[in-house]
Amino acid sequence: MEKKLRFNSATIHGGQSPDPAYGAVMPPIYQTSTYAQTTPGGHKGYEYSRTHNPTRTALEKSLASIENGKHGLAFASGLAAMDAVMKLLSPGDEVISTHDLYGGSYRLFTKIFEDFGIKFHFVPMENTARISETINDNTRLIWVETPTNPMMNVIDIAAIAKVAKEHNLLLAVDNTFASPYLQQPLNFGADIVMHSATKYLAGHSDVVLGSLVVNDDSLKERLSFIQNASGAVPGPMDSFLTLRGIKTLHVRLQRHCENGKAVAEYLANHPGVEKVFWPGFETHPNHDVAKAQMKDFGGMLSFIPKGADYNAAMKIVEKLQLFTLAESLGGVESLAGHPASMTHASIPKEEREKSGVVDALIRLSVGIEDAQDLIEDLAQAIG
Ligand SMILES: *Cc1c(COP(=O)(O)O)cnc(C)c1O
């Protein structure tokens, strides 16, 4: 039996071994769409690259390993991975989802899958009672994002897994914000863990890719079928870049967490800042859950400048020099965003504000630069 690796080794070696052809230490980029057969059907496990590609296989094994799961599946993007999960459902089925979730996820649910007869309920999940109240005979899936984007609420995965098991529902967790360095949802009883690997996993803002990891064999079979039948697969180059990113996930995340803490504490003490949303504060409403569920508190945070409106918040993000004003998160470089006009613009203002995404809210993805440089940049921008 293969020795089970600890996380900081799994990122580097999980599911990997030198390539059998020439001993290449990194899985080669198999830039090919097809594979020679000796007789019809006589091949070495690879027929066509939508179905399987050796570079993608290496990535899928790595993904499973770092999420402590059995099966990994890679997709062309995080949303393509979510799209595959939704295709497990049938018209008439209902989904209960975290209410303050990634804008693109909300758009996929409401603008694509609602038209196919799937019904979505968006509920705050910090209190599991809200989920139980919403379950009915048509409920099939619970979709959890934690920490939430951009409000940084933390949801108790184990508590929700218990509810899901009681009602025989699938539980899927979008683990993009935390990364498996901070939490491994399958360990808490989730059935599916999803990533926008575009963010922390790849980690260098140079690739768009998505993933799913599951333990159940029949669920894996169905998702593999959808992956091949719908065809939203990543190419070998993107698979390679993601594999390379994963090798330093644990070292990067350690620094993201240190810098996140330094920036959160700086902002919390700044007279020009009204509120900081970061689960590491003892005053954060879900701090206890975060402490129990997560290894550390991550590099994502949001804040509201004092007395700011839409335009004042825009001005602050425009003034930032070292923080780049951009969508996305989880790369080595620090990014700032204005959810109301950027990531969450596709959510109606009324819906947005219900979950706290006010016009003045600014979201930071704290990178791994020198924390003092980041703090000085925020100081000059907030004034
Ligand atoms: C970016 C993101 C997605 C979508 O992933 P893509 O790779 O952009 O398709 C989903 N969920 C969260 C939390 C994200 O940040």
Side-chain angles (χ1 to χ4, degrees), residues 77-79 102 105 145 174 176 194 196 198-199 208-209 329:
S77 69
L79 284 174
Y102 178 69
S105 308
E145 194 180 308
D174 181 339
T176 303
M194 171 262 162
S196 169
T198 312
K199 319 292 168 58
V208 171
L209 194 139
L329 62 108

Side-chain angles (χ1 to χ4, degrees), residues 178-359:
S179 91
Y181 174 80
L182 294 180
Q183 71 193 13
Q184 294 169 315
L186 299 179
N187 292 353
F188 299 116
D191 301 292
I192 302 172
V193 53
M194 171 262 162
H195 277 279
S196 169
T198 312
K199 319 292 168 58
Y200 284 111
L201 297 189
H204 295 73
S205 307
D206 52 9
V207 62
V208 171
L209 194 139
S211 69
L212 299 175
V213 179
V214 302
N215 279 323
D216 184 81
D217 295 341
S218 60
L219 188 55
K220 191 270 175 182
E221 281 315 308
R222 183 67 193 155
L223 288 167
S224 284
F225 179 84
I226 295 168
Q227 181 193 39
N228 181 50
S230 289
V233 293
M237 183 69 199
D238 287 351
S239 299
F240 171 86
L241 285 171
T242 305
L243 259 172
R244 188 171 71 165
I246 288 172
K247 286 182 191 284
T248 55
L249 179 66
H250 53 300
V251 231
R252 286 185 283 112
L253 256 291
Q254 200 179 342
R255 184 62 61 84
H256 280 295
C257 291
E258 287 167 18
N259 284 359
K261 181 171 195 282
V263 168
E265 285 173 352
Y266 168 76
L267 290 172
N269 291 314
H270 193 296
V273 172
E274 188 175 309
K275 198 162 167 48
V276 184
F277 303 89
W278 180 65
F281 290 130
E282 269 173 40
T283 51
H284 185 285
N286 321 122
H287 178 69
D288 290 345
V289 178
K291 234 173 115 178
Q293 179 167 285
M294 300 166 72
K295 184 186 165 96
D296 202 337
F297 304 107
M300 294 301 301
L301 58 97
S302 297
F303 72 100
I304 303 175
K306 200 165 270 174
D309 57 10
Y310 192 92
N311 290 325
M314 292 270 255
K315 281 229 168 61
I316 291 174
V317 293
E318 282 167 11
K319 268 199 203 156
L320 288 165
Q321 307 271 312
L322 189 55
F323 280 86
T324 303
L325 175 59
E327 307 246 358
S328 199
L329 62 108
V332 289
E333 63 287 296
S334 293
L335 302 180
H338 180 231
S341 67
M342 297 167 66
T343 43
H344 290 62
S346 56
I347 303 179
K349 183 176 159 82
E350 209 174 275
E351 280 300 311
R352 233 172 31 221
E353 298 208 330
K354 260 196 245 166
S355 29
V357 186
V358 295
D359 283 350

Side-chain angles (χ1 to χ4, degrees), residues 2-3 5 9-18 27 54 57-66 243 247:
E2 217 174 295
K3 185 178 181 299
L5 297 172
S9 307
T11 53
I12 298 165
H13 299 289
Q16 313 298 301
S17 42
T57 304
L59 171 63
E60 290 177 331
K61 286 185 177 164
S62 166
L63 290 163
S65 168
I66 60 175
L243 259 172
K247 286 182 191 284

